[in-house]
Amino acid sequence: MLSSLRLYLCLLSASLVSSAMSQPQVELEQTFTNLSFSRPVDLQHLGETLFVVEQRGVIWRFTNDPNVQERSQVLNISNRVRSVGNEEGLLGLAFHPDFDLNGYFFVYYTASSPRRTVVSRFTSSLNQTYLADPNSEIIVLEVNQPASNHNGGQIAFGPDGYLYIALGDGGGAGDTYNHGQNTQSLLGTISRIDVNQLPYSIPSDNPFAGSTGGRPEIFAWGLRNPWRFSFDSQTGIIYTADVGQNAVEEVNVIEKGQNYGWPVMEGTRCYRPSTNCNKDGLALPIFEYDHSAGPASVTGGYVYRGPGAPDLTGLYILGDYVDGRFWGLLYDGQTLVESHLLMDTFLSPLSFGIDHQGEVYMLSGNGRIYRFSPTGGSLGFESFISPLQFTQDITIPETILPSARGGSGSYTYSVTPTLPAGLSFDPATRTLQGTPTSGLASTIFTLQAEDTNGLKGSTQFQLSVVNPTATEHSHAVLEGFALQGYYHSSEHTYIVFDLPEPAIVSVDLYDLMGRKVTATSPKAMNSAQTQSIPIATNTLPSGSYIYRITLKVDSNIITASKLLLVP
């Protein structure tokens, strides 16, 4: 197999998109070329760290760098995962919104004896190894599965902080087990639960909360096999791809309390024309395609918000696992405005993922990961660590801004507006350098690029300069709380402070670019005139860091930051 594969655009079908619409000029290119995986079915991120889920029951992590050489195992539960059927296995991963404080993440997998879906919680370390203890598992939800197919499996936390779970109709063919329209079953649904109380509680506004009309966990129903759903990071809209039976593949916008029709409908068609087919009250797909070109199986993706391929901005990206086609959909919240056939390939998209900047990745059946790159239109940019945070009167570390992508490959760069006093930008190397001489509140800067043919592009980043002697408090002030400094041992640095009330305490350590390098787990501490908490620093390079201590006192959160020198 070639180490790098580029797949170019095919012509857009006139039946899908009107000629007035601007065709995105993109290609798929293999990224992370030094890594490969066994049936990767999910990709998630924490900052610039990516996590890939293998269907057999293993989770890996690696740095979001196209040239990354190594990966590390986070969790291996292959001994408890049932992956006999093609659609069974470890299928979903979601990090708790407060993961930085509690280390919780959730998984969805199929298990045996009896065959069932399991949604459970694991606890990970908070020192950026993210290593999870297999024995920390707490079962949240189990659902019996009558067959091996149609498992759904995506899980994700919504903007509301609740956990959403996609479950297929129980398998077989043609809704064999009659779950699609049965609201007393969780199969064939998108369910929503609150996992902040174990095993879980029911959000009060769920459609059947407090009623007997259906299972209280249900958020929406009438789905066949929702293979990948996602939230748009800007609008909160939930997009779901629902795999069809024999005729139609569909994409739905999921809304609370809606019935998506299966098996009354397959897409916008009656599934069983000989029976009563009443569409009243059913939510129909925003996009569908048929099987006229042969067998098909839709794989849902994400709305593109990344810097790499500007032509895709705002488009919901999806693909087909069987026939290798990829589409981009523009939905305005009411209407499907555009639908673009992006390309026709021989790849098999098992799943999609997204990083901290909204860059969309495709996980292929060949075990490789791909991303979208521009072939025309506007220049794109590599993903980048943002925001940047530097420290006043301290020389900044080497900071290279992202390179452009697409066009001729030869670019001229500039940064606007003017950088703060003491900092400069070298366009030849894309490097920020110098020593900031004054503080700066978080400010948006624009990196612009132009190639030799006049093709232009830009991306934005945030930059701030902090005063190391200042202590910052947020949300609340705790009278009597004060930082007293720190001292070193052979393996740790001890942060010393006065704690006037009992609190949950944690410490995060950042380098001078604002990247978290290590952290402590939250710890309950009693009040004391002098308290201390150790943070591991023995493996860190010597130099200047910023530590942030966080206290949770009842419903209040208090934070304070100061400079720390590691010898």
Side-chain angles (χ1 to χ4, degrees):
M1 182 182 297
L2 296 177
S3 62
S4 179
L5 178 64
R6 291 178 179 270
L7 303 158
Y8 293 91
L9 291 171
C10 65
L11 295 176
L12 182 66
S13 168
S15 64
L16 287 174
V17 184
S18 72
S19 60
M21 297 176 181
S22 175
Q23 171 67 23
Q25 300 179 55
V26 293
E27 64 182 9
L28 270 174
E29 66 174 2
Q30 187 181 321
T31 188
F32 314 121
T33 55
N34 298 306
L35 303 179
S36 65
F37 301 89
S38 172
R39 290 188 65 83
V41 292
D42 199 8
L43 182 150
Q44 301 294 331
H45 73 274
L46 285 173
E48 58 190 297
T49 301
L50 298 180
F51 298 80
V52 167
V53 175
E54 291 184 331
Q55 192 170 352
R56 63 192 175 105
V58 177
I59 300 175
W60 300 94
R61 71 168 178 90
F62 56 95
T63 302
N64 187 358
D65 178 349
N67 301 312
V68 63
Q69 298 282 334
E70 298 178 350
R71 63 183 184 176
S72 299
Q73 192 175 103
V74 171
L75 180 70
N76 185 341
I77 53 170
S78 54
N79 61 345
R80 69 191 77 170
V81 169
R82 175 187 172 92
S83 55
V84 178
N86 183 57
E87 298 176 25
E88 296 178 313
L90 177 58
L91 303 176
L93 167 67
F95 291 97
H96 192 281
D98 292 329
F99 176 85
D100 282 350
L101 292 176
N102 58 36
Y104 297 155
F105 66 88
F106 295 77
V107 297
Y108 178 120
Y109 65 91
T110 53
S112 299
S113 302
R115 180 167 50 203
R116 66 198 188 279
T117 281
V118 178
V119 177
S120 63
R121 190 189 83 184
F122 287 86
T123 301
S124 166
S125 64
L126 293 173
N127 59 4
Q128 295 212 311
T129 66
Y130 302 111
L131 186 64
D133 179 1
N135 296 319
S136 67
E137 182 177 22
I138 296 177
I139 303 297
V140 174
L141 174 70
E142 294 183 292
V143 180
N144 286 340
Q145 290 284 357
S148 65
N149 58 342
H150 302 184
N151 285 286
Q154 184 81 49
I155 56 176
F157 283 93
D160 53 15
Y162 298 132
L163 184 66
Y164 290 70
I165 306 165
L167 293 132
D169 67 3
D175 196 18
T176 301
Y177 304 100
N178 298 313
H179 289 127
Q181 293 299 307
N182 178 10
T183 56
Q184 298 300 326
S185 169
L186 295 185
L187 296 173
T189 75
I190 302 289
S191 290
R192 181 177 72 158
I193 59 177
D194 184 348
V195 293
N196 288 314
Q197 302 177 43
L198 291 179
Y200 62 88
S201 60
I202 302 298
S204 61
D205 63 336
N206 272 9
F208 302 113
S211 79
T212 59
R215 288 285 297 268
E217 297 92 341
I218 293 175
F219 185 78
W221 70 97
L223 297 162
R224 182 178 179 273
N225 186 26
W227 183 243
R228 311 292 86 174
F229 73 85
S230 65
F231 293 86
D232 180 3
S233 61
Q234 290 195 9
T235 67
I237 291 173
I238 310 170
Y239 294 86
T240 298
D242 198 12
V243 180
Q245 181 65 54
N246 297 315
V248 178
E249 306 298 307
E250 65 185 86
V251 174
N252 296 290
V253 167
I254 300 297
E255 296 179 343
K256 182 174 63 179
Q258 292 295 310
N259 178 355
Y260 290 85
W262 174 254
V264 178
M265 309 294 297
E266 184 182 5
T268 58
R269 305 181 187 184
C270 295
Y271 176 62
R272 299 188 181 102
S274 60
T275 61
N276 179 34
C277 180
N278 184 356
K279 299 182 183 180
D280 292 346
L282 301 182
L284 299 180
I286 64 166
F287 177 77
E288 65 179 20
Y289 60 97
D290 62 28
H291 292 204
S292 58
S297 180
V298 68
T299 299
Y302 290 82
V303 174
Y304 191 94
R305 301 290 182 187
D311 283 10
L312 296 180
T313 299
L315 298 183
Y316 173 70
I317 307 300
L318 68 143
D320 191 283
Y321 173 73
V322 174
D323 70 19
R325 287 182 291 174
F326 293 83
W327 289 266
L329 311 180
L330 182 61
Y331 180 70
D332 67 1
Q334 300 292 328
T335 305
L336 183 65
V337 178
E338 301 179 18
S339 59
H340 298 278
L341 178 60
L342 299 175
M343 60 192 73
D344 192 348
T345 79
F346 55 85
L347 292 175
S348 299
L350 280 169
S351 193
F352 290 85
I354 198 168
D355 71 10
H356 66 296
Q357 288 195 307
E359 196 74 27
V360 173
Y361 299 89
M362 186 274 288
L363 284 65
S364 175
N366 64 15
R368 302 291 185 169
I369 299 176
Y370 296 78
R371 65 179 181 180
F372 294 91
S373 285
T375 59
S378 299
L379 297 177
F381 285 83
E382 297 288 345
S383 292
F384 180 59
I385 303 164
S386 180
L388 299 175
Q389 186 180 86
F390 300 129
T391 305
Q392 182 181 329
D393 299 324
I394 294 179
T395 300
I396 70 172
E398 181 182 75
T399 305
I400 301 176
L401 298 184
S403 60
R405 290 166 55 189
S408 68
S410 178
Y411 315 106
T412 301
Y413 296 94
S414 61
V415 170
T416 58
T418 302
L419 290 166
L423 293 185
S424 63
F425 173 65
D426 181 352
T429 60
R430 308 190 316 278
T431 302
L432 291 178
Q433 53 199 11
T435 304
T437 58
S438 61
L440 177 71
S442 183
T443 302
I444 300 294
F445 289 84
T446 299
L447 173 66
Q448 299 166 319
E450 181 175 353
D451 77 354
T452 54
N453 298 318
L455 197 63
K456 298 180 180 180
S458 64
T459 189
Q460 293 184 322
F461 62 94
Q462 294 182 55
L463 188 154
S464 62
V465 179
V466 299
N467 185 333
T469 62
T471 299
E472 300 176 357
H473 296 274
S474 62
H475 304 290
V477 175
L478 182 62
E479 185 176 353
F481 167 66
L483 295 177
Q484 298 294 348
Y486 59 87
Y487 64 91
H488 299 291
S489 70
S490 59
E491 294 186 353
H492 295 87
T493 297
Y494 289 80
I495 308 301
V496 183
F497 52 95
D498 293 339
L499 186 62
E501 297 182 27
I504 305 296
V505 183
S506 60
V507 176
D508 300 311
L509 194 64
Y510 300 85
D511 65 18
L512 295 184
M513 291 181 66
R515 296 177 297 190
K516 186 187 293 185
V517 295
T518 189
T520 69
S521 299
K523 178 182 179 182
M525 303 187 74
N526 295 322
S527 59
Q529 183 68 32
T530 301
Q531 275 280 25
S532 66
I533 189 166
I535 186 166
T537 54
N538 60 312
T539 61
L540 297 177
S542 300
S544 300
Y545 297 85
I546 299 290
Y547 70 86
R548 182 183 68 186
I549 185 169
T550 300
L551 284 65
K552 296 183 73 173
V553 181
D554 298 326
S555 60
N556 294 320
I557 297 176
I558 299 94
T559 64
S561 303
K562 274 194 174 182
L563 184 69
L564 181 150
L565 298 175
V566 174

